[in-house]
Amino acid sequence: MTFLVIDIGNTRLKWGVYAQAHPEAPLLEQGAVVLEDIDGLWETTWKHLPRPQGMLGCVVAGEAIKRRVEEHLSRWGLSPHWLVATSRAGGVINGYDHPHRLGADRWAALVGARHESRELGPSKAAALVIMIGTAVTIDALDSKGHFLGGSIMPGFGLMLRALETGTAGLKVPMGSATEFPTNTSDALTSGGTDAIAGAIERSYRRLARREGSDPLLLMSGGAAPKLLSLAEELPVRFVEHLIFQGLLVLAHEQALGRETS
């Protein structure tokens, strides 16, 4: 019995097949495809996989993309189940003003982070959850699992495109992040990196001050490797499949018919 999890972001669809709907289940298969290539996902990949027994996904890309994915799922005879944020699940209490308006990907990542923090014991339960993709989200969980809130900012690509659109003569390739850039490509990349890293540092120190101890700093997302240098200054833990982990926790809860406290 296998279980399929899907994360449809702004740029790519990421998927994973696990041995079962459980956060400790082994990952058997995984892949990713840009949204423009979703129509070919079945023929190139999914039809060669054993039929999953169930699925749970999160989607932020809109209804049209979701319907195209559901067409593929129907070839397996799978009923689609898409995550919507709730007021409480997976040991997380949703502190958003309107809980159901929290992005499903952020909700899944928070649940995944709560599971990760529990593995390290109660003294490390508070967590700052960073997702680095097309956009960057910085979300705070206190030691009791309350989602305190978070911020959203442009990712690397959006920052660069904004500068290219709004200025003259800045259409240059992506550079490298350095301490003191000496060319325009590196200057742009370093500026974006410092902006994101600075926002993370500020949120980390706010949460540490509120909790009275250093929280976990959990980072995930396709562009997370671009912030590897942050690990030299803060105790960053890179978690490759944080959203998948949250989806598995929630799917397991649904299978049990109860919420894990």
Side-chain angles (χ1 to χ4, degrees):
M1 174 177 170
T2 60
F3 193 81
L4 174 68
V5 291
I6 301 174
D7 170 23
I8 308 177
N10 293 295
T11 305
R12 298 189 304 159
L13 178 152
K14 287 80 68 179
W15 60 270
V17 175
Y18 286 81
Q20 58 180 308
H22 192 284
E24 306 304 327
L27 176 62
L28 305 177
E29 301 277 355
Q30 64 175 313
V33 62
V34 296
L35 299 187
E36 290 81 1
D37 294 338
I38 278 181
D39 289 339
L41 182 58
W42 175 261
E43 289 296 328
T44 59
T45 306
W46 280 4
K47 78 173 184 178
H48 304 295
L49 301 175
R51 179 189 182 276
Q53 297 303 304
M55 67 79 61
L56 181 62
C58 58
V59 54
V60 299
E63 287 296 318
I65 294 292
K66 185 170 74 173
R67 285 195 298 271
R68 286 159 65 187
V69 175
E70 288 176 348
E71 291 175 5
H72 294 323
L73 295 174
S74 68
R75 301 187 184 193
W76 270 321
L78 275 182
S79 298
H81 297 281
W82 301 106
L83 181 65
V84 176
T86 58
S87 60
R88 181 184 183 115
V92 178
I93 300 169
N94 192 343
Y96 228 45
D97 290 344
H98 303 281
H100 67 282
R101 293 185 183 176
L102 178 66
D105 55 343
R106 292 172 70 189
W107 183 235
L110 286 163
V111 171
R114 183 62 176 169
H115 176 79
E116 188 80 10
S117 68
R118 285 170 163 176
E119 296 295 306
L120 300 173
S123 64
K124 288 285 189 179
L128 194 68
V129 187
I130 316 298
M131 298 299 300
I132 312 291
T134 304
V136 175
T137 58
I138 306 172
D139 291 326
L141 275 173
D142 74 8
S143 59
K144 296 181 180 179
H146 291 85
F147 169 46
L148 303 175
S151 57
I152 305 173
M153 62 186 297
F156 291 96
L158 290 178
M159 287 187 187
L160 183 59
R161 286 197 289 276
L163 284 167
E164 289 178 344
T165 302
T167 60
L170 284 182
K171 297 186 183 301
V172 296
M174 185 75 73
S176 301
T178 64
E179 289 189 352
F180 302 103
T182 56
N183 61 73
T184 303
S185 291
D186 289 353
L188 290 169
T189 301
S190 299
T193 302
D194 286 348
I196 295 170
I200 293 170
E201 289 178 12
R202 285 173 62 88
S203 295
Y204 179 83
R205 304 202 187 287
R206 286 173 186 153
L207 184 56
R209 185 167 58 247
R210 186 187 190 281
E211 291 293 297
S213 61
D214 291 340
L216 287 172
L217 181 50
L218 304 177
M219 185 178 295
S220 191
K226 295 182 179 180
L227 282 169
L228 285 173
S229 60
L230 189 62
E232 299 172 4
E233 303 173 32
L234 292 173
V236 180
R237 286 172 51 88
F238 291 92
V239 184
E240 185 176 3
H241 298 303
L242 196 59
I243 287 179
F244 286 179
Q245 191 173 68
L247 290 171
L248 290 170
V249 169
L250 294 167
H252 183 59
E253 279 191 0
Q254 291 173 6
L256 294 175
R258 62 176 176 81
E259 178 195 328
T260 304
S261 62

